[in-house]
Each structure stands twice: as structure tokens, then as C-alpha cells.
Amino acid sequence: MTSRPALVVLNGPNLNLLGEREPEVYGHETLADVEALCRARTDALGWHLDFRQTNHEGVMIDAIHEVRRSAIGLVVNAGGWTHTSVAIRDALAAVDGPVIEVHISDIRAREPFRAFSYLADVASAEVVGRGVRGYVDEVVIGCRSEVIARHPRCYAREEVVFDPLHYLPLIEQKINAFDQAAPLQGWD
């Protein structure tokens, strides 16, 4: 087990097909590309990244339960479960830290059934329609002041206390340095 703060990114059904399934909607990047982007960002911040994908709703709920008290933040792209799963919404409601809902496409500009999110009322922030860049931005936003201010907690990690409010200036400095050193091409 790591003593570094852990950011958890959970991906739901069909996201394992990212880059293959409907590239005109979701783009050509794969889930491995998304993980690499998130890992580069969390490594730059000195955090541990726990990145997962499942096509099974119960596995997603178990993963949320597993990390609900230990994660400094949870980034979730629940895919189609966003519009159907009260059970995932209820599991996310039990998470201690910020929950960031991410969608690669703009769910409100697509079919009417996609416009409603069961997760929105338990999420600290929601990002839609930013492509895979939304994940990278939300790895950051999960610990930026506008979200953390709503969750002013200290997180204990193996006798190390992580107080995100204390580290915000350092986090912002590292984020800016990362953005300058490794800008994402074609997303600005």
C-alpha cells in the first residue's frame, strides 16, 4: 500500500472500447491513452493513481465502496449507468472526498435519454464534452480549491496526514509546470 494520496478513476461499461466504438463521438484515443494522461498528471503531483474499468455494475459499486474513505478524490465516467443506475448514485453518495463526474461527449447535446444524470446531484463537479482532456482536467479539479473548499477534510494515509487545503499552492504550481512542460496537442 502506498502512503501517497490516491486519486481513483473509475470507468464504466464500454469504455474498454474507447478508440474503436463510435470514434466520431468519443475520439480515437484509447482507455490506455486516458490512463497514461491521468498517470502523467498524478505522477507530477506526487499522487498514486488507481485507474479501473468494468462492464459489471456490481463490480463498479464494490470498487466505490472499497475506496470511499481512502481516496482524496474519485473521478467517475459511469458511461451508460449515468442514466440508469440509482445504485451507483447511492454508492457515490457515501464517498468522503470529492466525486467528479466526467463524460467524453456532451451528454446533454445527444439523445434525450442521455441528458439526465443520476450522478449529478452527488458529484462535486461535472465535466462533459471535453474529450479525454476532461479526465486530465478533472484529475486536477478534483483537488483544486473550488472543489476542495466544499470538502475541507484531512485524509489520513498510513500515519501521514494529507491536508489538501495546505497543499493547494504547491498543487497549483505543479499543475502549471506540468501544463507548460507537457501540453496536450490538439485539445486547446
Side-chain angles (χ1 to χ4, degrees):
M1 182 134 201
T2 181
S3 62
R4 295 185 298 162
L7 184 94
V8 179
V9 179
L10 299 178
N11 296 279
N14 300 313
L15 286 161
N16 56 307
L17 300 178
L18 199 56
E20 299 173 35
R21 180 179 159 258
E22 299 182 77
E24 67 281 1
V25 174
Y26 302 109
H28 295 280
E29 293 82 9
T30 67
L31 196 60
D33 295 332
V34 174
E35 182 175 6
L37 289 170
C38 291
R39 191 163 308 284
R41 183 59 61 100
T42 55
D43 285 351
L45 294 169
W47 299 342
H48 170 72
L49 176 67
D50 182 350
F51 193 96
R52 307 180 198 187
Q53 186 277 329
T54 183
N55 291 315
H56 304 281
E57 188 174 19
V59 172
M60 175 72 87
I61 292 166
D62 288 343
I64 295 166
H65 290 178
E66 177 188 336
V67 302
R68 70 188 175 96
R69 295 202 174 155
S70 61
I72 62 165
L74 181 87
V75 177
V76 61
N77 183 342
W81 292 325
T82 300
H83 324 291
T84 63
S85 183
V86 173
I88 289 175
R89 179 247 177 248
D90 289 349
L92 291 170
V95 173
D96 287 346
V99 173
I100 315 302
E101 180 182 1
V102 174
H103 298 284
I104 296 168
S105 68
D106 182 350
I107 61 174
R108 289 176 182 80
R110 295 184 59 199
E111 303 93 340
F113 68 87
R114 294 185 195 273
F116 179 78
S117 168
Y118 278 102
L119 315 183
D121 73 316
V122 296
S124 304
E126 179 184 52
V127 174
V128 299
R130 303 233 16 227
V132 298
R133 177 70 188 244
Y135 281 88
V136 177
D137 291 343
E138 296 332 299
V139 166
V140 173
I141 217 171
C143 287
R144 281 198 171 166
S145 59
E146 62 265 32
V147 173
I148 289 184
R150 296 184 217 167
H151 300 276
R153 296 181 175 96
C154 293
Y155 298 90
R157 300 285 183 279
E158 299 177 1
E159 300 179 13
V160 174
V161 174
F162 177 71
D163 178 355
L165 292 174
H166 174 77
Y167 290 101
L168 275 175
L170 177 61
I171 290 169
E172 291 292 337
Q173 183 181 36
K174 286 186 173 191
I175 289 165
N176 292 335
F178 177 84
D179 285 342
Q180 290 173 5
L184 292 175
Q185 300 299 318
W187 287 101
D188 295 328

